[in-house]
Amino acid sequence: MSPLDRRRFLSAAGQAGLGGWLACELGLLPLDSLARTGRTQSIPVGPGLDPRLSWTKAPCRFCGVGCGVMVGVKDGKVQAVAGDELSPVNRGLLCIKGYSLPAILYGDDRLTTPLLRTNGKLKEATWDEALGLVAGKFKETLETHGPTAVAIYGSGQWTLSDGYVASKWFRAGLGSNNVEANARLCMASAVTGFLTSFGMDEPMGNYDDLEAADVLVLWGNNMAEMHPVLFSRILESRRQRPNVRVIEISTRRTPTTEWADEFIGIKPNGDLALANAVAHLIVESGRVNQDFVRAHTVFRRGKEKIGYGLEDNFQFTDAPVEITLEEFKTYLADYAPEKAAGPSGVPAETTRRLAEYYADPKVKVVSLWCMGMNQHVRGTWINNLVNNLHLLTGKIGRPGNNPFSLTGQSSACGTVREVGTLAHRLPADMVVTNPEHRRRAAEIWGVPVEKIPAQPGYNTVEMFRALDRGDIRTMWIQCTNPMVTMPNLNRYRDAAKKQGRFIVVSEVYPTPTTDIADVILPSAMWVERTGMFGNSERRTQHWFKAVEPPGQARPDVWQLMEVARRMGYGELFPYGEDYEREIFEEYRKFTLGHGHDLAHYDDYVEHRGLRWPVVKGKETAYRYVEASDPYVPAGAGYKFYGYKATEGKAVIWARPYEPPPEVPDTEYPFWLTTGRVLEHWHTGSLTRRVPQLHRAVPAAYVEIHPDDARRLNVQNGERVRVVSRRGRIELDAVVEGRGQPLPGSVFVPFFDEGKLINELTLDAYCPISKQPDYKKCAVRIEKIGIAEG
Amino acid sequence: MRARVFLLVCVAAFLGGLAAAQSSTEAKREPSPRPRRLYFGAPPTVPHDMGLDMNDCLVCHGDPDMGAPLTPHPTRLRCRQCHLPAAEDVPLFRSNRLAGLPPPGRAPRLQPSGPPLIPHPVLLREKCLACHAPEAREDVISTPHPERLRCQQCHIPQRPDTPQFSRPPTL
């Protein structure tokens, strides 16, 4: 049966009720959910699942890998999950966070009713009261302070519809571009990296690269803990093909190091010098892929000494100029491996070994990265520099030869990058600064084009600075926990508590962010609602609501539309009960015809996700290459069709090494790096409510290198004080733990709301991507009992 | 290379274990508490300290002679991806109401005299005898015929979602 026939059959069966009857007979679907959706869910289920439960498919709620899970429901509760053996992402495997999904719904302190804060006390309220109050406050702020004084701060864990409605309401309704999301803290540099290198966002390859590659270079990515299922695919590939090599580049030895064939320790920001040194060696040894470079690339150099975004209202616009290959070679002269060893901290012979993998045309190389390259004051630059290595060698667009940015959050790609919930973006890679893009958006949204402001809104750090200054008065925070995750947290927490600020928070559990909220709205999460996510490999995935949310909890998208309607923007949201489908079909119009094409809603209902662009019912495994990507004309070989300015050529960038803004000195002699652990998801608001995850890592700690610990006379387990120019906290020292920072640096995970390491971090950011650098600031370690200095 | 190192480690650990067993009484090993799972089908937690070196679990859990519960999926190398130390003495952050279902009990049969079906997914449970060998585990069914090895010759996973076979309509 062809897919089309099958779809017709399923939909016919659904209309006739036959499939539904069958599903209910077989215990696949409770009758009430059938009645509610009015559709059957004749979705194939993996083998051997417990017949006492009804099973439905969903992507995992946690990271950007987007594993398929089967969700087992009985008595209106999620009782179990299993890895979806039919999902091409994880093929039945999960990690321990994925296995813990049922428990994240059932923490004892779920928020189940709207709460209003009056005189410092939270009081229960009806939805009508709460939504009326929120609508009133937004209206009042608009009238007295204008559209730049309202803001919405969302999430890479927003579903597509959450993000789409937020963006439409703000840009087409309120006339404000103050739409941001926590993914600014997470992958903004990968976005600007892809955009400036290839003219279009998101990886050209996919997860099959992991098995196809001979060498996998992890540029600052603790994959074993952060993307465990993909890492297990790499381990399995190497088990079957022992010549596969895993190279880890990092400032800290991690659980990934245990499995790496080689660990390359670098100095903070040293990756800039290392990547340039590798490019230098490729060029010097004459192994540039001349045909590819000539036909498909141009060389550019941008502004340098571009600052660190530490001042309020920081502005930066790059001014790239075209350069020749010869000029590029001259620029690389500074990065001969011996010279680069100073800033990078990598011995020349190690650099040569690494360069050999990239340079050898017979070796297939995938570069993987996540926060190490993205949370970086030169995040866009290091993304460009790693992309350069693939462009110089033509190792791109083919299985096992790609630069591949991994994503932190379940829909950072789908919602924040594709739907476009950043201050300057419109859906499908369009931007508010482009008049043609605004015209197109206004047309689909049915509003006059003047309604959509051409000036980008505040980026995340500037948004909270504006809240501090009083330029933003009313802010809605959904599905994220900035009072744990903002760098230089003390300033922004004080900002949120100031008089005259009104903060609305949609959440599922009490957090430090609900602590500063004037209104708390209880959200339905994951399978308590219907939704869609988009993962790191451009795969859009759909799930149906499987259980009722607790109490009065409602989806974020519903909350947004209800407030918008109360403010008089009802005509923007004319959707009926099946609003998820209607919103998606409307969003889909943005994507068609320019390389972002999505399929119809029903295609995602049936499939284990599809990788965009989906053209004529076919997903695209590899972009920019002929035969795989329908946008590349026959005979072209490659086309980077997103780059209009270069007529479809990718850009090789000259980007120099520059040091971080705050470096250790005598007063603060250590680097501080922050990050995550396998067991906890971001700020722990979900995972700490799962007994086994919490017990495995119950509190934050500070990892210290054994040599440093000896010098400081600090024992393993001893309570120490970590102090920066911005804050201080007490933590237990871990001297030989799961990770080991390089000498002279310490590591602290950020999940613990009781030990807020972000009170110490610096709010410096990449001037191009505006993504803060959580990996580099200066601290000192004090023994407790010694007088505070 | 890695596999060879691992084998060496295994052999060394095994020899060490033999020596230790000879020099002390057999009853030294304390029965470890039963592993806990979040729900039926979730991976068990580890009832003992997992230590810092996280990659040597298979020294004991991959070797039948070590007496530890055997892994049913020995090709999966990174145990910590799914198995955490139980640490049950650590107080909870917040309590949780997930109860989960108990194990399903006796597996169904296709017909009264037929072999029982497999009531769980087979993925990650490829080595049946790791759990179903006599005396491997108390809480699961144990086979009376471990010598027959190829379990899926007769026992197949149940697929309750599969519709009855029917012939496609002929034109």
Side-chain angles (χ1 to χ4, degrees):
Chain A
M1 214 185 264
S2 78
L4 190 66
D5 287 341
R6 190 177 137 67
R7 197 145 61 233
R8 247 185 233 139
F9 165 73
L10 287 174
S11 120
Q15 278 152 20
L18 171 66
W21 170 81
L22 198 63
C24 293
E25 271 308 276
L26 292 164
L28 276 182
L29 202 66
L31 272 171
D32 63 320
S33 97
L34 242 189
R36 215 172 33 241
T37 61
R39 262 195 311 280
T40 62
Q41 243 184 296
S42 308
I43 299 161
V45 170
L49 298 174
D50 192 337
R52 296 170 297 170
L53 304 177
S54 337
W55 295 91
T56 179
K57 77 171 163 89
C60 177
R61 168 69 182 71
F62 292 113
C63 80
V65 172
C67 293
V69 297
M70 298 307 299
V71 184
V73 176
K74 190 176 195 294
D75 303 328
K77 295 247 186 277
V78 176
Q79 306 279 5
V81 298
D84 182 358
E85 293 189 39
L86 304 180
S87 165
V89 172
N90 52 316
R91 304 163 183 171
L93 303 179
L94 290 177
C95 77
I96 190 57
K97 282 194 298 298
Y99 278 117
S100 302
L101 282 164
I104 66 171
L105 304 174
Y106 303 118
D108 247 349
D109 55 343
R110 263 305 281 273
L111 296 167
T112 56
T113 177
L115 300 167
L116 309 184
R117 197 180 302 275
T118 32
N119 302 324
K121 285 225 170 71
L122 286 172
K123 277 216 297 262
E124 292 193 0
T126 64
W127 271 111
D128 209 44
E129 281 173 89
L131 296 167
L133 176 65
V134 173
K137 276 287 175 187
F138 269 89
K139 231 176 171 162
E140 187 191 311
T141 308
L142 274 184
E143 281 159 13
T144 49
H145 299 279
T148 56
V150 293
I152 186 157
Y153 183 58
S155 170
Q157 298 153 67
W158 257 349
T159 67
L160 300 192
S161 62
D162 297 339
Y164 182 80
V165 164
S167 182
K168 185 178 181 184
W169 172 42
F170 258 67
R171 299 185 216 269
L174 307 181
S176 171
N177 279 327
N178 286 340
V179 181
E180 274 283 289
N182 62 2
R184 177 75 75 177
L185 315 178
C186 163
M187 34 87 318
S189 301
V191 177
T192 48
F194 279 127
L195 280 171
T196 49
S197 290
F198 308 111
M200 236 170 120
D201 189 20
E202 298 202 28
M204 57 291 300
N206 62 66
Y207 295 157
D208 296 340
D209 284 327
L210 301 176
E211 283 93 5
D214 302 314
V215 176
L216 299 110
V217 185
L218 314 181
W219 288 82
N221 176 22
N222 176 11
M223 207 172 168
E225 290 202 279
M226 304 317 148
H227 303 95
V229 168
L230 296 184
F231 195 64
S232 69
R233 280 179 61 169
I234 294 177
L235 292 183
E236 177 63 12
S237 170
R238 187 175 61 182
R239 196 180 67 83
Q240 294 180 14
R241 292 195 300 139
N243 57 336
V244 168
R245 289 285 167 272
V246 179
I247 316 293
E248 189 195 23
I249 301 167
S250 182
T251 58
R252 170 182 174 240
R253 289 177 181 274
T254 65
T256 306
T257 317
E258 304 268 317
W259 302 96
D261 295 280
E262 180 164 3
F263 172 82
I264 301 177
I266 53 164
K267 290 183 183 168
N269 267 27
D271 44 4
L272 296 162
L274 177 63
N276 273 323
V278 172
H280 173 97
L281 287 165
I282 293 168
V283 172
E284 189 196 42
S285 63
R287 283 183 291 178
V288 170
N289 183 334
Q290 297 288 354
D291 293 342
F292 180 87
V293 166
R294 209 173 299 124
H296 305 296
T297 69
V298 294
F299 293 84
R300 279 186 179 177
R301 186 162 189 167
K303 281 191 194 165
E304 287 164 16
K305 299 204 169 60
I306 59 178
Y308 301 99
L310 282 163
E311 317 82 45
D312 276 37
N313 291 313
F314 177 88
Q315 295 287 334
F316 174 78
T317 314
D318 207 356
V321 289
E322 207 128 314
I323 59 172
T324 62
L325 174 60
E326 288 312 309
E327 286 170 312
F328 182 70
K329 282 180 182 166
T330 316
Y331 141 81
L332 282 180
D334 286 345
Y335 299 96
E338 283 75 13
K339 275 193 204 168
S344 72
V346 180
E349 59 279 23
T350 308
T351 307
R352 287 207 167 82
R353 203 160 48 237
L354 178 65
E356 190 57 30
Y357 293 130
Y358 281 99
D360 185 344
K362 290 195 294 294
V363 177
K364 287 192 244 169
V365 186
V366 169
S367 303
L368 294 152
W369 68 93
C370 200
M371 291 311 122
M373 270 173 48
N374 291 349
Q375 293 180 337
H376 194 307
V377 280
R378 294 291 177 265
T380 308
W381 288 9
I382 183 62
N383 271 268
N384 289 149
L385 293 176
V386 170
N387 292 336
N388 280 357
L389 305 181
H390 290 269
L391 289 170
L392 286 168
T393 53
K395 293 190 178 182
I396 198 157
R398 309 281 180 194
N401 265 335
N402 275 303
F404 198 103
S405 82
L406 295 161
T407 325
Q409 301 184 77
S410 44
S411 199
C413 283
T415 303
V416 180
R417 294 161 78 158
E418 293 158 28
V419 171
T421 60
L422 294 173
H424 62 300
R425 277 169 89 92
L426 291 166
D429 241 8
M430 299 200 283
V431 288
V432 296
T433 45
N434 181 321
E436 170 55 24
H437 292 176
R438 284 202 307 280
R439 193 196 56 72
R440 192 158 168 179
E443 192 182 302
I444 294 174
W445 284 341
V447 296
V449 66
E450 304 77 49
K451 189 78 205 182
I452 304 168
Q455 173 76 18
Y458 293 109
N459 68 68
T460 296
V461 172
E462 294 297 338
M463 186 178 268
F464 280 89
R465 287 176 182 169
L467 186 71
D468 187 20
R469 294 192 303 267
D471 293 339
I472 286 178
R473 296 286 169 151
T474 297
M475 186 189 241
W476 192 341
I477 299 167
Q478 283 198 329
C479 199
T480 185
N481 196 1
M483 292 302 116
V484 178
T485 54
M486 283 303 290
N488 191 12
L489 181 57
N490 284 324
R491 174 177 179 191
Y492 303 116
R493 192 195 300 110
D494 291 346
K497 287 189 199 158
K498 277 189 175 169
Q499 277 296 320
R501 311 292 186 276
F502 190 81
I503 313 278
V504 184
V505 176
S506 302
E507 250 302 355
V508 295
Y509 289 110
T511 66
T513 304
T514 61
D515 287 348
I516 54 109
D518 297 287
V519 176
I520 302 173
L521 302 175
S523 292
M525 73 163 138
W526 195 46
V527 295
E528 292 165 353
R529 52 168 296 178
T530 295
M532 295 173 89
F533 284 156
N535 80 354
S536 297
E537 60 160 359
R538 297 174 279 111
R539 185 180 297 276
T540 313
Q541 309 198 72
H542 173 275
W543 74 92
F544 278 119
K545 174 176 174 176
V547 294
E548 288 297 328
Q552 299 176 51
R554 294 288 178 273
D556 289 352
V557 61
W558 178 89
Q559 299 174 16
L560 292 165
M561 288 194 294
E562 284 301 310
V563 167
R565 282 180 187 134
R566 279 169 170 75
M567 292 179 72
Y569 299 111
E571 78 276 10
L572 289 177
F573 307 104
Y575 317 121
E577 204 163 314
D578 204 2
Y579 58 79
E580 291 287 351
R581 170 197 294 268
E582 292 177 60
I583 291 169
F584 182 81
E585 291 292 342
E586 183 184 309
Y587 159 52
R588 179 175 177 269
K589 291 183 198 160
F590 281 91
T591 67
L592 300 177
H594 61 123
H596 295 267
D597 313 57
L598 295 173
H600 282 289
Y601 185 84
D602 285 336
D603 296 318
Y604 297 102
V605 168
E606 193 192 332
H607 286 92
R608 257 56 177 185
L610 293 167
R611 290 165 296 188
W612 62 264
V614 186
V615 178
K616 294 190 186 133
K618 257 192 74 187
E619 62 172 344
T620 303
Y622 291 91
R623 290 194 299 162
Y624 311 139
V625 285
E626 192 179 337
S628 171
D629 186 336
Y631 279 91
V632 178
Y638 287 86
K639 189 166 186 196
F640 298 95
Y641 47 81
Y643 238 133
K644 302 286 179 284
T646 60
E647 291 168 345
K649 291 182 177 184
V651 176
I652 295 172
W653 285 91
R655 302 288 205 189
Y657 167 83
E658 283 181 11
E662 187 180 86
V663 298
D665 53 20
T666 46
E667 200 181 346
Y668 298 97
F670 287 94
W671 289 105
L672 167 68
T673 293
T674 69
R676 298 208 297 112
V677 293
L678 165 70
E679 292 83 351
H680 288 301
W681 173 242
H682 286 187
T683 62
S685 58
L686 300 176
T687 47
R688 295 185 92 195
R689 281 159 174 98
V690 180
Q692 57 172 308
L693 295 178
H694 171 67
R695 283 171 164 150
V697 189
Y701 49 84
V702 53
E703 284 175 1
I704 305 176
H705 189 274
D707 295 348
D708 293 325
R710 215 170 299 122
R711 238 169 1 87
L712 293 164
N713 191 24
V714 166
Q715 310 294 312
N716 189 32
E718 181 179 333
R719 179 62 59 97
V720 295
R721 196 178 298 116
V722 185
V723 186
S724 83
R725 290 181 175 86
R726 294 154 294 278
R728 56 187 59 212
I729 54 170
E730 292 186 1
L731 294 161
D732 289 344
V734 170
V735 176
E736 280 184 77
R738 65 171 67 185
Q740 190 179 93
L742 292 180
S745 60
V746 298
F747 170 86
V748 181
F750 71 85
F751 69 84
D752 188 348
E753 63 176 69
K755 305 267 180 207
L756 291 168
I757 190 59
N758 277 319
E759 293 180 351
L760 278 65
T761 49
L762 182 67
D763 50 347
Y765 56 77
C766 167
I768 302 175
S769 72
K770 279 82 178 172
Q771 176 166 358
D773 187 333
Y774 292 86
K775 306 293 189 191
K776 303 161 201 112
C777 73
V779 296
R780 68 167 173 265
I781 307 291
E782 292 173 357
K783 277 180 81 83
I784 304 281
I786 289 178
E788 293 187 14
Chain B
M1 171 64 188
R2 194 161 274 274
R4 210 169 299 149
V5 169
F6 171 67
L7 270 179
L8 274 174
V9 171
C10 286
V11 169
F14 175 59
L15 291 177
L18 271 185
Q22 276 170 349
S23 65
S24 62
T25 55
E26 269 193 18
K28 207 182 78 176
R29 251 170 62 88
E30 289 196 9
S32 47
R34 278 267 292 285
R36 305 276 175 94
R37 294 167 198 264
L38 198 52
Y39 49 86
F40 173 68
T45 52
V46 177
H48 59 73
D49 184 19
M50 289 176 80
L52 292 174
D53 183 358
M54 291 183 286
N55 303 337
D56 54 6
C57 309
L58 292 176
V59 172
C60 295
H61 294 288
D63 180 349
D65 294 324
M66 296 301 283
L70 287 178
T71 172
H73 42 253
T75 64
R76 309 286 171 182
L77 302 176
R78 190 169 140 70
C79 311
R80 188 96 184 198
Q81 179 177 330
C82 302
H83 300 282
L84 299 179
E88 296 204 345
D89 49 330
V90 175
L92 293 181
F93 180 70
R94 301 283 186 273
S95 51
N96 193 292
R97 291 190 302 267
L98 176 73
L101 294 186
R106 292 187 77 86
R109 294 166 195 264
L110 279 178
Q111 43 145 322
S113 62
L117 296 168
I118 302 174
H120 56 68
V122 175
L123 184 79
L124 295 172
R125 297 164 182 85
E126 295 89 0
K127 269 187 70 137
C128 308
L129 290 177
C131 300
H132 297 290
E135 291 157 26
R137 273 173 59 180
E138 287 170 18
D139 56 331
V140 300
I141 194 166
S142 68
T143 173
H145 45 259
E147 70 285 356
R148 296 185 63 176
L149 296 177
R150 244 190 68 72
C151 312
Q152 287 198 51
Q153 180 178 328
C154 302
H155 305 278
I156 57 172
Q158 55 183 352
R159 298 284 306 248
D161 60 309
T162 311
Q164 295 280 316
F165 170 74
S166 61
R167 293 193 61 210
T170 45
L171 296 172

